Amino acid sequence: MTTATLSPTIVQNFDLFAPKLVDREEYFSWGHRACQGCAEALAIRLMCKALGRDTIITNATGCMEVISSLYPTTAWKLPWIHVAFPNAAAVASGVEAGLAALHRKGKIPDKRVKSVAIGGDGGTMDIGFQSLSGAMERGHDILYVCLDNEAYMNTGIQRSSGTPFLGATTTSPAGKKISGNQVWKKNVMEIMVAHNIPYAATASPSYPIDFMNKVKKARAIKGPAYIHCLVPCPTGWRIPSEKSIQYGRLAYETGVFPIYEVEDGKYRFTLPVPEKRRPVEDYLKGQGRFRHVTPDQVKLIQERVDVEWEALLIKMERSKSYTEIREQLKK
Amino acid sequence: MGKLVGMEVALAAAEAAALCRFEVAAVYPITPQSHVAEHLSDIVNDGRVDASFITVEGEHSALSAVIGASATGARVITATSSQGLLYMGEVMPIASGMRLPIVMIVANRAVSSPINIWNDHSDIMPMRDTGWITIFAENGQDAVDMVIQAYKIAENRDVMLPVIVTMDGFQLTHVVEPINIPDQEEVDRFLPPYNPYATLHPDRPISMGTLGMPEIFPEAQKAKDVALVNSIRVIKEVWDEWERLFGRKYEAVETYRTDDADVALLTMGSMGETAEVAVDELRRQDVKAGLVKIKLWRPFPFEDLKKALKGIRVLAVTDRAVSFGGPGGPVFSEVRSALYDEDVRPKIANFIIGLGGRDVQVGDFVTMVKRAAEGKLAEPYEFYGVRG
């Protein structure tokens, strides 16, 4: 059901050849304590494969730190540090600065080790937002990956600024008077683009090759990079655990979560663009968190998604890279 | 043997960190610490030390960034004051729990509200139980020496704890004093390059800052306490070595004219020098007065304090912070608790003084000592000279 609307050629090429090129080594090992169908744990596994061994992970407090680091066990085969909830970007910037200093002085082996921070939507978009903005603005050679499951899942599905409009959480419940989250999801991807960082992208583990390609690209870039990854959470979204990959695809196919990248200021879709987007209802239905949503409200969401999609298309068509603009100005 | 210079203390403290060849500094400006931040960045940008200066966007990130850098094995420095220290509060016990040898300069300042930029100890006191070694400088020479000593203490394999060197804001940070700045070669001899126990590096991957369940959490807390308690041995060894190499003596509890004293003042920080003048004045008036100065706040030097107070009949403890609704100032309750099991112990008065930069003069200390000696003790504590 998922590939029907997609242009067939590229997908076939990826499906046939790319998986064979993926690193067989597991840097985020089995045996961790994530829920069944956790797309966030899957995203980390794929991310680590794309990053390779010369990587240091800084993990914001959240589900992933809890499920992966229960002393004396660890799921991490990469060097890993967890400090607190709001400061993954700051810690990662310190890791980068420390490595750089030791490298300059010849105190550590002469190779490039990438500092990578990961955090959930709360740790990135809310409580960690200041430190994220600071680290990106300062131009550290770090990659920040936001693993967005659209609520504070670790503490029991509370509303964050990543929670979608009308989504029911335990602090934005579908009540008799107020029905679910009353505001639209914060667009952190665009805020990161506004930081003028060399690379920002959205991604999903439902499109693993695309996600891993972006991680590889971001890793290679010297400077700050940001990847916003939508990770369905069966527990919090009230969906069957075997459906998380499917909902990740539906998020893209309906236009609810566009998957694209902004490199050097230039917007680009990275997956085959749906010729005709599926109705948002296909994405909303079956998710317990949207069970209370009325047909009128579905229309409201559809209208918003249409507008945002069109706005994004305009950027895709008209945006130019800074390099192109520079060339133009020279003429 | 060093060079005697006239230098602002905040700048001298930053110079001391430079002599230790710090590798990463992450500092957010706040009055009255800002001169430390500015001078550290001068040092880095002039290439005098091969280091990175991270212009973080807040104190929470300042401490977080040096945690990250320290975890890679770099020697680090940060500095703050007042609200900034409280803002770091969340990360403070994490730094000590992760056993990272971070050195932090704190320019002591009052805590809001009302907002006040001047000196007292209400910022450092709430950090008492965060597991940091905490040392109080009394003057500029202390500040310089203690910053250098701090690295040696923090990085000792038997310690591996972060260290705060506090210096009173403005009253110390912004005054120009004659200070002996040690030579680089001397400091290099005293302080070898940092040799970390464990670091974040792909050649030997480890997990740091993992989840501790009830089965292990209390053991982790106990281990931190044991390390802090035991660190006093290393601190004293480092001070002994310092005295041998540099000729300046440091003690956890210093005394002034207490040998035959009947009544004593107790201070922490820069007011010690004013109190010395007051003691001289009292002696001229035939009051057998002395002075006890606590330099080491954590680990608390119980035995040194008891020894210093031998023979003292009345003790006037000064506090520069308030434990609201509590038993008295934090220094007072600590000192009184330390003496509880002693058969012979002094009567103790508690004067809360110098809040938010309120001036405390020689005459004030004289009055406090006399009132305490006459048995006119404030019960249980007194806001000295405060209206209302």
Side-chain angles (χ1 to χ4, degrees):
Chain A
M1 65 114 231
T2 53
T3 53
T5 56
L6 303 176
S7 152
T9 50
I10 297 173
V11 171
Q12 277 174 5
N13 286 343
F14 271 130
D15 285 350
L16 281 174
F17 302 112
K20 295 186 193 301
L21 303 173
V22 172
D23 193 350
R24 291 179 71 89
E25 182 78 29
E26 298 290 353
Y27 299 103
F28 184 69
S29 87
W30 51 91
H32 59 69
R33 290 159 170 81
C35 305
Q36 260 192 358
C38 173
E40 190 171 5
L42 172 62
I44 288 178
R45 181 179 163 219
L46 299 170
M47 177 193 80
C48 290
K49 280 175 179 287
L51 288 169
R53 69 181 293 274
D54 288 337
T55 306
I56 296 175
I57 304 286
T58 301
N59 200 157
T61 305
C63 285
M64 292 304 104
E65 151 266 328
V66 172
I67 60 101
S68 70
S69 81
L70 201 144
Y71 184 88
T73 67
T74 181
W76 295 92
K77 295 184 184 175
L78 297 175
W80 176 93
I81 182 169
H82 157 253
V83 178
F85 198 8
N87 60 357
V91 174
S93 65
V95 167
E96 183 252 8
L99 289 173
L102 296 171
H103 191 246
R104 274 199 311 272
K105 291 184 163 185
K107 289 186 177 179
I108 52 173
D110 184 23
K111 61 178 169 185
R112 183 159 183 251
V113 177
K114 187 82 178 183
S115 173
V116 177
I118 57 173
D121 44 298
T124 305
M125 301 164 71
D126 291 345
I127 199 169
F129 192 55
Q130 173 187 310
S131 82
L132 171 65
S133 178
M136 292 290 132
E137 165 270 319
R138 291 192 299 269
H140 292 278
D141 183 17
I142 61 172
L143 164 62
Y144 192 103
V145 180
C146 171
L147 301 159
D148 176 9
N149 57 19
E150 304 196 313
Y152 291 92
M153 301 311 183
N154 189 37
T155 42
I157 322 167
Q158 291 86 15
R159 184 253 175 210
S160 80
S161 64
T163 302
F165 182 57
L166 300 181
T169 69
T170 54
T171 53
S172 61
K176 285 180 184 136
K177 193 174 168 207
I178 301 169
S179 192
N181 183 40
Q182 295 296 295
V183 294
W184 299 95
K185 182 183 175 79
K186 180 153 92 182
N187 192 338
V188 176
M189 171 64 181
E190 286 299 312
I191 300 171
M192 288 299 106
V193 171
H195 280 66
N196 276 336
I197 55 176
Y199 186 75
T202 61
S204 160
S206 298
Y207 301 94
I209 303 300
D210 174 72
F211 175 45
M212 285 190 282
N213 281 342
K214 284 169 176 166
V215 172
K216 280 196 167 172
K217 198 181 232 183
R219 190 197 198 286
I221 279 166
K222 185 100 174 101
Y226 177 83
I227 295 178
H228 195 103
C229 191
L230 184 73
V231 286
C233 167
T235 311
W237 294 16
R238 315 285 191 207
I239 55 172
S241 52
E242 72 275 15
K243 298 263 188 189
S244 49
I245 300 301
Q246 185 180 325
Y247 274 103
R249 287 186 171 252
L250 282 168
Y252 179 59
E253 290 169 2
T254 56
V256 167
F257 185 80
I259 291 179
Y260 63 105
E261 67 182 11
V262 182
E263 191 177 2
D264 191 28
K266 169 72 186 163
Y267 283 70
R268 195 174 75 84
F269 279 118
T270 56
L271 286 171
V273 182
E275 284 159 24
K276 191 175 181 306
R277 277 177 291 118
R278 296 172 67 144
V280 293
E281 197 177 359
D282 289 0
Y283 175 66
L284 303 175
K285 73 181 176 205
Q287 292 194 50
R289 62 178 178 157
F290 294 120
R291 189 167 32 215
H292 57 285
V293 172
T294 65
D296 281 350
Q297 288 171 329
V298 172
K299 279 185 198 153
L300 205 62
I301 296 171
Q302 183 68 61
E303 196 267 347
R304 172 88 174 198
V305 167
D306 290 346
V307 169
E308 289 193 346
W309 185 265
E310 285 306 313
L312 189 61
L313 283 182
I314 292 168
K315 287 176 184 166
M316 295 292 163
E317 285 159 14
R318 298 197 187 161
S319 67
K320 288 179 176 168
S321 73
Y322 290 117
T323 313
E324 276 178 288
I325 294 168
R326 243 175 240 120
E327 289 302 315
Q328 238 174 14
L329 287 173
K330 272 185 202 165
K331 282 173 191 168
Chain B
M1 284 298 281
K3 195 169 139 199
L4 193 66
V5 297
M7 192 182 279
E8 189 189 293
V9 173
L11 273 52
E15 286 292 330
L19 286 169
C20 298
R21 302 180 189 277
F22 67 88
E23 284 152 333
V24 175
V27 193
Y28 188 76
I30 182 170
T31 303
Q33 159 267 39
S34 340
H35 290 185
V36 179
E38 291 166 7
H39 200 59
L40 285 171
S41 45
D42 277 344
I43 288 164
V44 173
N45 283 12
D46 286 341
R48 291 174 51 208
V49 169
D50 186 4
S52 305
F53 186 94
I54 310 178
T55 50
V56 274
E57 79 297 334
E59 290 88 353
H60 195 286
S61 287
L63 185 52
S64 301
V66 294
I67 286 175
S70 183
T72 66
R75 185 173 280 166
V76 301
I77 179 94
T78 186
T80 192
S81 257
S82 182
Q83 308 301 127
L85 184 58
L86 298 201
Y87 190 29
M88 281 183 183
E90 189 208 4
V91 203
M92 292 288 291
I94 303 177
S96 57
M98 294 176 82
R99 307 293 296 273
L100 295 168
I102 295 160
V103 172
M104 171 151 69
I105 294 167
V106 175
N108 293 131
R109 164 186 150 182
V111 163
S112 293
S113 74
I115 187 167
N116 174 297
I117 59 166
W118 293 277
N119 168 234
D120 69 26
H121 295 165
S122 52
D123 53 356
I124 191 69
M125 287 303 158
M127 297 300 141
R128 185 189 65 182
D129 297 337
T130 57
W132 286 57
I133 292 172
T134 308
I135 302 170
F136 273 73
E138 186 183 345
N139 52 47
Q141 191 66 61
D142 277 8
V144 165
D145 293 353
M146 285 171 172
V147 165
I148 302 168
Q149 294 156 1
Y151 285 101
K152 182 112 171 179
I153 295 163
E155 291 169 5
N156 186 295
R157 284 287 171 86
D158 292 338
V159 177
M160 298 206 298
L161 285 168
V163 178
I164 291 173
V165 177
T166 79
M167 47 203 74
D168 288 342
F170 291 117
Q171 286 169 5
L172 208 48
T173 54
H174 285 54
V175 297
V176 175
E177 288 192 10
I179 301 170
N180 185 296
I181 306 284
D183 296 333
Q184 184 66 64
E185 302 73 51
E186 291 175 321
V187 175
D188 287 345
R189 262 201 305 281
F190 172 75
L191 183 70
Y194 174 36
N195 176 22
Y197 173 75
T199 61
L200 290 174
H201 196 273
D203 290 353
R204 189 173 171 272
I206 56 165
S207 295
M208 296 175 78
T210 57
L211 173 69
M213 295 290 277
E215 292 77 18
I216 195 66
F217 186 83
E219 282 73 14
Q221 298 304 95
K222 186 181 175 186
K224 184 156 102 176
D225 184 55
V226 168
L228 202 61
V229 169
N230 290 347
S231 70
I232 198 163
R233 179 185 58 78
V234 174
I235 294 167
K236 287 179 176 180
E237 282 170 10
V238 168
W239 280 341
D240 287 346
E241 188 187 349
W242 187 268
E243 190 186 359
R244 281 199 304 280
L245 291 173
F246 297 92
R248 291 187 290 276
K249 186 179 172 67
Y250 286 90
E251 291 176 297
V253 179
E254 288 184 6
T255 55
Y256 180 73
R257 301 184 82 165
T258 51
D259 284 352
D260 62 339
D262 181 51
V263 55
L265 264 169
L266 189 144
T267 61
M268 288 208 310
S270 65
M271 283 194 180
E273 295 193 340
T274 313
E276 281 186 11
V277 180
V279 165
D280 292 342
E281 173 62 25
L282 285 158
R283 288 277 175 171
R284 273 195 290 277
Q285 298 177 19
D286 291 329
V287 180
K288 283 189 166 178
L291 173 65
V292 176
K293 297 183 283 196
I294 296 179
K295 292 277 177 100
L296 182 62
W297 174 237
R298 277 293 181 276
F300 193 80
F302 291 97
E303 295 311 313
D304 304 74
L305 181 75
K306 286 177 199 167
K307 212 173 118 199
L309 292 176
K310 277 271 183 308
I312 303 292
R313 187 178 58 83
V314 180
L315 180 67
V317 175
T318 62
D319 260 291
R320 307 204 52 208
V322 187
S323 171
F324 296 97
V331 182
F332 167 69
S333 55
E334 209 78 333
V335 168
R336 192 160 66 161
S337 163
L339 299 172
Y340 182 80
D341 288 328
E342 298 301 290
D343 294 331
V344 182
R345 55 193 179 203
K347 288 274 181 202
I348 311 182
N350 185 205
F351 296 102
I352 292 170
I353 60 169
L355 296 183
R358 178 74 66 89
D359 200 18
V360 183
Q361 302 187 354
V362 174
D364 297 318
F365 283 121
V366 169
T367 305
M368 282 178 237
V369 169
K370 283 184 175 172
R371 284 197 23 223
E374 287 164 15
K376 292 178 186 167
L377 299 182
E379 287 291 348
Y381 57 94
E382 178 183 323
F383 285 84
Y384 176 83
V386 175
R387 298 183 295 274

